Amino acid sequence: MLQIDSRYIEKALSANALEELYPLLQNAVELEHSTIPPYLTAMFSLNPGTNPVQRQVIHSIVIEEMLHMTIAANILNALGGHPVISHADFVPEYPGPLPMGIGNGLIVGLEKYSTDVVKNVFMEIEEPENPLVFKSVSLAALPTYSTIGQFYQAIQRKIDELAPDELPGDKSKQVTSSFFPADELFPIYTKQHAIDAINIIIEQGEGTSTSPLDQEDELAHYYRFEELYKGKRLVKDDTAPNGYSFSGPAIPFSPEGVFPLFPNTKINMLPVGSEEWKRMTEFNTSYYSLLSGLHTTFNGQPGMLDNTVGVMYDLKLTAQKLCATPFPSKPGYTIGPSFEFIVPAGS
Amino acid sequence: MSYLHAPRLVFTGDFLSDVSTVNNDTAHYNNATFQPNFQDPGKGATNGWWNPEGGAVFDFQNCAVKQIFLPDGTTQTSQSDDIIIGQAVVGAEGRPTGKMVDLDPDAQMFSALWCVQLRICTANGDLLFKGDITTTSFRDLQMRQLDGGKSNGQPLGASWTSVITNIEWGVLAEQSAFLKTLRATTQNNTLAINMSPFGYYYSHNDGRFSLGRIIGSIGPYFENEPLTFAAARRLYGINYTPSIRGTFFSISNFLVEPDAKRVSVDFGASFPVADSIGTVNYKQDLRLAVSKIPQAGVASRQTPTFYINPNDFIEIGALDYQSDPNWLNQTGGIVSFNNLPDATVSALAANQLILVSPSTSQPGQFAIIAREAIDGLVARADNFIQRLDDGQSVNIDFYAYQWGNLLPNTSISVTLDPATPDTPVGPQNPISEIYGNNFPADGLTFNGQISTNQQGKAQMLLTGNAIYSPRVYIDGQIYFITYQTATVDQAFGTEQIVVHLRDYFEEIANPVWGDISEMMIQYSNLYPIMSKYVVNLADPVALAEKKKILIFAFSRDINDTMHMPVTRDLSSTKRNTILNWLNNPQIAPKTVVRSDAREARTANPAAPGTALTDKQTRYREAVKAKNGSFPGFSATNDLFENL
């Protein structure tokens, strides 16, 4: 089960002032972002026109990670802090651990889509505190671990304890978007807003403790990935112990519809100055542009969010072209997007 | 004021232009005859040319400020002189890259930059300044590469002239004496910019696919000046080079500043280069001079070279470019001669500038490589590329100059070009009938006789009227409108206003899929990158699923950085109909047969086989050249030798 370094939870629980929560919320923004490159890499590796369910599931989860990142940044702003996004420390080194010691050594890389990656990485990242086991034989006693959910709960509890009803942050810095429902992404002006918003993050990621569904009646991330892993839809099943079972329609998967990305491609693996190297540079330039645009968005110019949506498309198109490009001198492989923090020449 | 005035900076580097190319063939617009292989890379009408999956991205790469030129005539090249030298010139950050698109498959020579942001920053990302380049289209296409473009495939270059607005000065700008002077000199917080792209790669050679070289110059802007060309004097090539069946040094802008006793000539868009990255390796003795006698020579195969006796010119000086193969990339090709003798300055006031080289075949004589426009006359339309819906009007701005000064009371006649004939399917046109341009003539209304006012400017109101699918399967019509003053300098020829007039279309408030399917399928055919990676534009179910993001994209202003490049082709009524559908996607076919428009199509007045005018023929050849399908470019090995 996915663990978080319990020091972070202790830090949250021992906070005596809102300021002490700033670095933790910054960590939260970083954590939410850190899952996006691995998910996107897997999604971009799916050949256009193939494996539509896999694409749709990952896409829906990425969108929610973006929502969570936005919520965490909004809370940080609401408490009076300043999200830092366009900075080298913001981007993890892949393969490597996620922020805050998540997963007790879980190494997350940038790899092509496979059921192994879904099971061993994605489900690990999203694993709830007490995963509901559907039609599973073993229900051994589950030890208590510190999870991402618990981390957010600790922050939630401290905000409840320390914050005034009306939060001190500059209200004009709150970011909302027509791309998210107003009951999921709303401005955080009050303590209650912050508490409600954290519940959205926890439930979308983990479900509730009694159901795989979140408050919007959507499957939590963990169970959506589990569907892909099992190749079956999770559906209501009154005969099953938890009321659900993987007895829904099959989710077909064709492994040949996946580009053979070289795992954890880095730009320095490509011949300097080659067309492939330049396209990777273009990709990392878009990535930098995106982080920079988000930084501006979350530091006083919320209207910039729309512009970053356009950059996301630039990034996506370049990434998908990379995934279809043969890897120079690595026969049988294509190039994965490297998501490296490289400040564009002279920028 | 212009990009040639002081203070100015020069930057050089590469540009990325990921233009899409399925739409380079007019016949590819016909949904009925479209085949999947038109989306595959490859030459010829049955393929999708060099970049079928292009996404229209335009961006600066590896660009840096090379040198600056100050009002006192000095040039600085070291960062120790001014902090701006050596700094990077980059594109947008935090918003999408700029885009590069053609006006229409029947008007491909006016590739335009849209929504390009230019930033100059340090290696740490600290801003000196940034701003938005106003949309501008190619002008002055000319031959650049002596190697015929053998490695890259495109030996031509062009110019983009524009202004930079929405300028934001970084904190560091205070540390640049150059920028402080520029800021104090320019008006309206706007700057003038000129960029000369060349050496573009169609081929996957040298790691430079879809890259080209770009040379830029940024200087002060003054109110009331044209936005898409410099209010400058012009030098035209008149030495015929057989290998290219034309001239090198075809078009160069120059500026004479009598008070500063200075002439500055911009060879950045014209200087012949050895290769795609701007290396200069020939060593001819090239000199600037003022001709004492009028020069009217025009290059031709019959008379390839015109000569002048040195007694008939005042020499200004020799171009000092031979010692450094990187000269063009370092200087931007802008040559300034300061402290000219008074006699030279006064001669330049009403005599032609010439570029000459000592003749070997006629010792003692000089061959004229380029000469200024006859009588120093330049008249140009500013906003010469237009997209119009029926009922829309626009004022086209004209400016006339003589010897660099605005010229009042100059009449300009403006004429719609003759209709070009339809091209039936045949061996040279295998896919679909291609319909002609410039008809129906009553699609546009304008008064073709105008005259410049006391300030040397003229305006012509151009109105679009309803037209009914003259090109059947492509929206609207392309109109070429030629304008000229009383005398036409054949060394340059005439210029045109080019209009895409959209078809009459009544907005449908509650459309079903059948109402928009033809448009969406056409997009899907022409821009495979969209259907492959974003959403299948030909699939109403897929569109309905993505309607949120599509409404976002389709509802942006045409100058918004998020505007989808292809939708610039759409009339507002068609765009609104698509938006209406997206807001309430009804996946039913249309019940009414969709042939009404075709039957009502305006007939082409030009009978099949009607000969094209010389200009129309040259234009078609130029389009072929631009698309890399013209085989006729050979290398030039002995430029200006043995003249």
Side-chain angles (χ1 to χ4, degrees):
Chain A
M1 181 180 289
L2 192 61
Q3 290 183 318
I4 180 171
D5 187 331
S6 51
R7 278 181 307 165
Y8 289 93
I9 293 176
E10 285 158 21
K11 270 191 206 170
L13 292 175
S14 63
N16 291 312
L18 287 181
E19 288 76 12
E20 292 173 44
L21 296 177
Y22 296 171
L24 296 168
L25 280 158
Q26 172 69 28
N27 289 147
V29 176
E30 289 168 13
L31 174 65
E32 299 296 348
H33 160 267
S34 71
T35 62
I36 295 174
Y39 294 164
L40 281 183
T41 301
M43 189 182 90
F44 294 150
S45 77
L46 301 169
N47 293 14
T50 67
N51 297 312
V53 179
Q54 284 75 6
R55 178 188 314 282
Q56 185 270 328
V57 165
I58 300 176
H59 184 260
S60 69
I61 291 172
V62 167
I63 296 290
E64 288 183 359
E65 299 298 354
M66 292 178 183
L67 170 66
H68 300 171
M69 184 178 157
T70 308
I71 291 173
N74 272 347
I75 295 173
L76 180 50
N77 268 323
L79 299 186
H82 307 285
V84 176
I85 293 170
S86 57
H87 191 278
D89 295 342
F90 188 80
V91 178
E93 170 86 13
Y94 302 101
L98 297 183
M100 296 191 282
I102 290 292
N104 192 19
L106 176 70
I107 297 299
V108 177
L110 302 178
E111 295 187 51
K112 69 171 185 180
Y113 180 90
S114 67
T115 41
D116 279 356
V117 162
V118 170
K119 169 72 177 165
N120 298 329
V121 183
F122 298 173
M123 285 172 64
E124 284 288 310
I125 293 174
E126 302 285 355
E127 185 161 24
E129 187 180 350
N130 295 303
L132 300 164
V133 181
F134 306 108
K135 277 220 167 166
S136 176
V137 193
S138 150
L139 262 172
L142 294 160
T144 41
Y145 287 102
S146 305
T147 66
I148 301 172
Q150 288 173 323
F151 167 71
Y152 276 116
Q153 277 163 356
I155 290 179
Q156 195 180 37
R157 191 193 300 178
K158 274 295 159 175
I159 290 174
D160 191 23
E161 184 186 317
L162 298 173
D165 283 344
E166 230 8 69
L167 296 177
D170 179 347
K171 289 186 169 56
S172 71
K173 289 185 175 177
Q174 290 296 310
V175 175
T176 56
S177 164
S178 60
F179 290 107
F180 292 108
D183 58 354
E184 293 183 27
L185 181 61
F186 42 82
I188 314 281
Y189 298 148
T190 66
K191 184 152 81 179
Q192 193 57 45
H193 291 152
I195 289 167
D196 293 346
I198 288 176
N199 282 337
I200 290 170
I201 299 183
I202 296 171
E203 286 169 18
Q204 286 187 342
E206 303 193 349
T208 68
S209 51
T210 56
S211 164
L213 304 180
D214 62 19
Q215 281 182 335
E216 285 78 40
D217 277 345
E218 283 182 336
L219 277 184
H221 297 183
Y222 176 83
Y223 304 103
R224 278 185 249 173
F225 280 134
E226 196 174 15
E227 285 187 321
L228 296 186
Y229 172 64
K230 300 220 158 151
K232 286 275 195 178
R233 290 291 192 186
L234 179 62
V235 292
K236 275 205 154 133
D237 180 353
D238 293 340
T239 69
N242 284 310
Y244 288 85
S245 70
F246 288 98
S247 57
I251 300 171
F253 171 56
S254 59
E256 61 279 8
V258 180
F259 287 115
L261 306 189
F262 190 77
N264 304 302
T265 304
K266 301 285 174 200
I267 190 166
N268 65 14
M269 297 173 182
L270 300 167
V272 174
S274 63
E275 195 175 321
E276 294 83 1
W277 182 89
K278 283 179 179 142
R279 182 147 278 165
M280 186 72 95
T281 301
E282 199 185 325
F283 174 81
N284 283 324
T285 301
S286 287
Y287 184 42
Y288 178 84
S289 175
L290 175 57
L291 295 176
S292 159
L294 289 172
H295 183 83
T296 310
T297 302
F298 288 114
N299 282 276
Q301 295 186 48
M304 280 284 287
L305 188 70
D306 279 354
N307 281 334
T308 66
V309 173
V311 183
M312 291 175 205
Y313 277 84
D314 282 352
L315 180 101
K316 170 191 164 84
L317 293 174
T318 312
Q320 300 218 213
K321 286 184 184 178
L322 276 173
C323 291
T325 306
F327 204 122
S329 73
K330 292 194 196 301
Y333 286 106
T334 62
I335 303 171
S338 68
F339 287 98
E340 288 165 283
F341 187 90
I342 295 174
V343 180
S347 195
Chain B
M1 290 288 164
S2 74
Y3 74 93
L4 278 172
H5 281 84
R8 63 171 186 259
L9 66 80
V10 165
F11 68 88
T12 305
D14 297 327
F15 69 97
L16 166 72
S17 175
D18 179 40
V19 288
S20 58
T21 56
V22 183
N23 66 353
N24 281 6
D25 259 291
T26 306
H28 290 177
Y29 280 68
N30 189 345
N31 291 348
T33 52
F34 195 85
Q35 298 295 325
N37 53 293
F38 301 170
Q39 296 185 340
D40 295 335
K43 281 187 181 183
T46 52
N47 282 306
W49 299 96
W50 72 89
N51 195 26
E53 285 191 14
V57 166
F58 174 91
D59 210 358
F60 299 108
Q61 290 197 350
N62 316 311
C63 287
V65 176
K66 297 295 183 185
Q67 61 184 43
I68 57 178
F69 182 85
L70 303 174
D72 67 3
T74 54
T75 295
Q76 294 180 336
T77 57
S78 160
Q79 206 167 87
S80 58
D81 294 325
D82 195 291
I83 185 181
I84 199 167
I85 297 164
Q87 306 299 1
V89 178
V90 292
E93 188 174 280
R95 73 178 214 197
T97 58
K99 299 290 182 277
M100 177 168 158
V101 293
D102 282 334
L103 179 65
D104 186 272
D106 289 343
Q108 295 188 38
M109 305 303 283
F110 316 99
S111 305
L113 299 183
W114 287 85
C115 306
V116 175
Q117 188 178 57
L118 180 145
R119 297 181 300 131
I120 300 187
C121 326
T122 67
N124 300 326
D126 296 326
L127 183 71
L128 285 141
F129 76 87
K130 69 175 179 183
D132 297 321
I133 299 175
T134 300
T135 297
T136 184
S137 307
F138 272 163
R139 289 182 186 261
D140 297 343
L141 269 72
Q142 51 190 315
M143 180 58 72
R144 298 303 302 271
Q145 283 175 244
L146 297 173
D147 64 1
K150 68 174 187 292
S151 181
N152 52 311
Q154 176 49 278
L156 302 175
S159 294
W160 282 305
T161 307
S162 186
V163 292
I164 307 177
T165 61
N166 301 324
I167 293 178
E168 195 180 312
W169 303 91
V171 178
L172 273 186
E174 284 300 314
Q175 294 180 29
S176 164
F178 167 82
L179 284 181
K180 281 202 261 189
T181 313
L182 180 62
R183 220 171 149 173
T185 312
T186 202
Q187 293 188 343
N188 271 0
N189 204 31
T190 296
L191 294 171
I193 183 170
N194 186 76
M195 293 179 287
S196 303
F198 62 93
Y200 184 72
Y201 276 74
Y202 299 137
S203 69
H204 291 263
N205 291 337
D206 309 326
R208 289 179 66 83
F209 171 68
S210 71
L211 293 187
R213 180 120 298 194
I214 193 162
I215 288 175
S217 175
I218 297 174
Y221 168 78
F222 264 26
E223 283 177 340
N224 299 319
E225 299 218 318
L227 303 177
T228 70
F229 65 94
R233 293 166 71 171
R234 311 257 288 167
L235 202 55
Y236 302 140
I238 59 163
N239 185 261
Y240 184 84
T241 301
S243 56
I244 62 163
R245 293 183 295 246
T247 60
F248 282 100
F249 283 112
S250 293
I251 307 158
S252 314
N253 292 324
F254 71 97
L255 175 73
V256 176
E257 294 169 282
D259 295 343
K261 300 184 179 182
R262 176 156 71 213
V263 61
S264 300
V265 189
D266 177 14
F267 293 112
S270 63
F271 211 89
V273 291
D275 55 27
S276 60
I277 55 169
T279 309
V280 175
N281 62 7
Y282 64 97
K283 314 259 182 203
Q284 296 308 316
D285 178 355
L286 297 171
R287 304 182 199 177
L288 280 174
V290 191
S291 179
K292 296 177 191 169
I293 51 175
Q295 298 293 338
V298 176
S300 70
R301 198 165 39 161
Q302 293 72 28
T303 316
T305 309
F306 296 85
Y307 296 94
I308 186 168
N309 187 299
N311 294 327
D312 292 330
F313 65 70
I314 305 170
E315 184 171 325
I316 292 173
L319 305 192
D320 179 17
Y321 68 94
Q322 293 91 339
S323 59
D324 180 8
N326 202 38
W327 172 82
L328 180 65
N329 288 319
Q330 172 60 36
T331 64
I334 303 179
V335 179
S336 280
F337 288 90
N338 296 290
N339 305 316
L340 297 178
D342 290 342
T344 306
V345 174
S346 55
L348 276 169
N351 290 284
Q352 288 162 287
L353 186 76
I354 50 177
L355 178 68
V356 297
S357 183
S359 170
T360 44
S361 64
Q362 299 193 26
Q365 298 281 305
F366 282 72
I368 305 176
I369 307 300
R371 62 153 172 83
E372 186 172 358
I374 293 169
D375 293 331
L377 282 171
V378 172
R380 305 187 91 180
D382 195 6
N383 46 345
F384 73 112
I385 298 297
Q386 289 295 333
R387 290 165 158 83
L388 277 185
D389 286 357
D390 70 273
Q392 268 188 340
S393 293
V394 63
N395 273 314
I396 308 291
D397 299 317
F398 294 83
Y399 296 78
Y401 304 88
Q402 184 173 36
W403 311 118
N405 303 312
L406 283 159
L407 188 64
N409 305 320
T410 302
S411 47
I412 299 171
S413 58
V414 189
T415 324
L416 178 62
D417 286 6
T420 55
D422 301 343
T423 310
V425 172
Q428 300 301 315
N429 180 38
I431 300 168
S432 163
E433 182 162 20
I434 295 175
Y435 300 96
N437 300 130
N438 305 328
F439 72 91
D442 61 8
L444 294 175
T445 307
F446 57 90
N447 173 1
Q449 288 302 323
I450 52 173
S451 187
T452 58
N453 63 15
Q454 283 312 301
Q455 286 75 45
K457 296 178 192 173
Q459 277 195 330
M460 183 189 82
L461 187 71
L462 178 70
T463 301
N465 304 314
I467 57 170
Y468 304 92
S469 306
R471 292 189 297 172
V472 184
Y473 54 79
I474 312 185
D475 188 274
Q477 182 58 288
I478 289 292
Y479 292 92
F480 291 87
I481 304 167
T482 298
Y483 60 87
Q484 57 192 68
T485 50
T487 37
V488 174
D489 188 337
Q490 294 301 342
F492 178 64
T494 52
E495 285 193 290
Q496 291 162 314
I497 298 156
V498 185
V499 183
H500 179 215
L501 174 65
R502 281 88 168 242
D503 278 335
Y504 173 82
F505 184 87
E506 201 139 326
E507 180 178 335
I508 303 170
N510 198 15
V512 295
W513 171 243
D515 291 315
I516 65 163
S517 60
E518 287 287 314
M519 299 177 231
M520 303 312 284
I521 289 167
Q522 189 177 60
Y523 281 163
S524 172
N525 289 340
L526 297 173
Y527 305 102
I529 191 171
M530 279 295 293
S531 285
K532 204 165 166 185
Y533 299 125
V534 181
V535 56
N536 183 356
L537 296 168
D539 175 359
V541 178
L543 286 173
E545 273 171 16
K546 297 259 185 185
K547 68 176 193 172
K548 222 172 191 176
I549 187 76
L550 288 167
I551 290 169
F552 175 78
F554 273 86
S555 58
R556 315 300 285 203
D557 180 80
I558 194 165
N559 286 304
D560 187 299
T561 172
M562 229 91 59
H563 188 96
M564 293 210 309
V566 298
T567 49
R568 296 203 166 91
D569 299 350
L570 285 171
S571 60
S572 60
T573 47
K574 280 192 174 173
R575 195 158 74 116
N576 286 339
T577 300
I578 292 173
L579 278 168
N580 293 343
W581 186 86
L582 288 167
N583 278 308
N584 179 22
Q586 300 178 73
I587 303 173
K590 197 182 173 192
T591 45
V592 188
V593 185
R594 203 190 153 73
S595 58
D596 328 37
R598 296 187 183 198
E599 281 163 20
R601 179 212 168 212
T602 313
N604 188 341
T610 303
L612 299 177
T613 66
D614 286 352
K615 184 143 189 159
Q616 286 167 342
T617 304
R618 282 199 302 275
Y619 173 80
R620 291 212 176 166
E621 282 176 7
V623 171
K624 281 189 199 163
K626 188 191 171 217
N627 285 339
S629 66
F630 185 71
F633 293 125
S634 50
T636 305
N637 299 315
D638 52 356
L639 185 69
F640 306 143
E641 288 176 17
N642 311 313
L643 293 181

